[in-house]
Amino acid sequence: MITQVNRLQDFIQIRNDLETEDIGFVPTMGNLHDGHLRLMEKALSHHKICIVSIFVNPTQFAENEDLATYPRTLKEDIEKIKMLERKFEKTVIVFHPEVQDIYPSSQQTTYSDLELRNQLEGSVRPTHFDGVTTVVKRLFEIVKPKSAYFGKKDYQQYIIIKRMVDRLHLNINICGVETVRNQEGLALSSRNHYLNSKELKKALKLRKTLLLIKEKLNQVNELSEIEAYLETLKSEESWNYLEIRDPKNLSKVESLGEELVILGNYQVGQTRLLDNLEWSRN
Ligand code: PAF
């Protein structure tokens, strides 16, 4: 049975009454697509109960960003969740709180990842990760899950949340889930709705370029060779960034190790698209 809860007090009551701690949590901002449903499928496969939050978090949007126009589709989201719930025959609780529940004026402590907050995505969205970590920490306190599921499309978000959980000893398993793509390879994202047909074509360049870099990594032995290759690719102006990093902590690499992650942010019209590809030498 799906349970929908809006008021924080009601959610806390329901959470306290649960007879199990075996809870898989999927935090979302709604407008659910197959990528979100994949996260829920993982949570439902591994836990007795799945809790999904739907909350468009204002603190992770800068003033010039799309908070006002971000798609809010609660009714359709609930229908999608109902279909999954029927398939798994397990309990799903959907928590869709109001801003004042998540950010009561009496309690506003921001969590920041001082090393990673200004790098990669943070270099183009300087306050974004403070907002993400703050809301996720607050949701973790309210939901008290055993595990939480995050899409690896937002690789930096996944790593920053893992680091936060380690540093604060939160005792929650952070599970990264593979990116879901459309038939042409474009990573699913709520922001893909902003693209017209010409832009959708241009967007495919992002994934194609990451695959080219992966191929090049299979051929070279020196970091300098791959750095030179990245420089030529980046001469196309649309790249907000295109980098290779250590997949464990996103630190810069000094040499080509056994494992890397290639991360890119590609500008298509007004929309910044991000994607990444993990690489390992074998
Ligand atoms: O990935 C998202 O949708 C959001 O950043 C998250 C994790 C739900 C926090 O608002």
Side-chain angles (χ1 to χ4, degrees), residues 114-278:
L114 294 179
E115 289 142 56
L116 284 182
R117 71 189 285 277
N118 291 323
Q119 299 186 31
L120 301 164
E121 270 307 285
S123 67
V124 269
R125 307 184 73 187
T127 54
H128 175 66
F129 289 115
D130 293 349
V132 170
T133 46
T134 300
V135 78
V136 171
K137 180 167 169 285
R138 173 91 175 120
L139 288 167
F140 282 172
E141 283 159 7
I142 296 168
V143 174
K144 300 198 237 36
K146 181 169 174 184
S147 307
Y149 292 80
F150 293 88
K152 282 203 197 169
K153 182 186 78 78
D154 298 300
Y155 197 91
Q156 188 175 6
Q157 166 173 283
Y158 159 63
I159 293 294
I160 285 181
I161 288 166
K162 254 168 119 55
R163 284 156 62 101
M164 175 179 85
V165 163
D166 284 351
R167 286 176 182 178
L168 301 177
H169 307 288
L170 294 184
N171 196 21
I172 297 169
N173 304 316
I174 301 301
C175 310
V177 178
E178 293 313 317
T179 302
V180 179
R181 301 175 181 283
N182 73 9
Q183 279 192 337
E184 289 165 298
L186 179 66
L188 298 193
S189 159
S190 301
R191 290 193 169 97
N192 291 353
H193 297 302
Y194 298 152
L195 305 174
N196 61 34
S197 55
K198 203 169 150 214
E199 289 172 335
L200 274 168
K201 268 209 186 107
K202 183 181 175 194
L204 300 180
K205 178 91 184 272
L206 171 52
R207 166 83 170 161
K208 282 189 185 141
T209 306
L210 298 181
L211 287 168
L212 282 177
I213 299 169
K214 187 171 180 175
E215 220 173 278
K216 188 81 174 172
L217 278 165
N218 289 335
Q219 294 159 8
V220 302
N221 291 313
E222 295 299 328
L223 179 62
S224 56
E225 291 174 82
I226 202 76
E227 281 176 343
Y229 186 56
L230 289 181
E231 282 315 308
T232 54
L233 293 169
K234 276 196 295 193
S235 59
E236 188 202 332
E237 270 173 15
S238 302
W239 291 101
N240 292 312
Y241 61 81
L242 181 60
E243 294 199 28
I244 53 168
R245 296 276 176 125
D246 183 326
K248 291 187 289 304
N249 52 18
L250 289 183
S251 60
K252 294 194 176 160
V253 290
E254 308 275 304
S255 60
L256 290 182
E258 294 301 303
E259 292 186 331
L260 293 168
V261 59
I262 316 155
L263 305 117
N265 182 313
Y266 191 60
Q267 189 77 34
V268 181
Q270 296 301 307
T271 310
R272 291 184 306 97
L273 296 175
L274 64 154
D275 202 350
N276 64 80
L277 201 54
E278 289 169 274

Side-chain angles (χ1 to χ4, degrees), residues 13 20 38 52 87 122 129 152 245 268 279:
Q13 184 67 53
T20 176
R38 173 79 58 87
V52 183
K87 183 168 147 198
F129 289 115
K152 282 203 197 169
R245 296 276 176 125
V268 181
W279 171 86

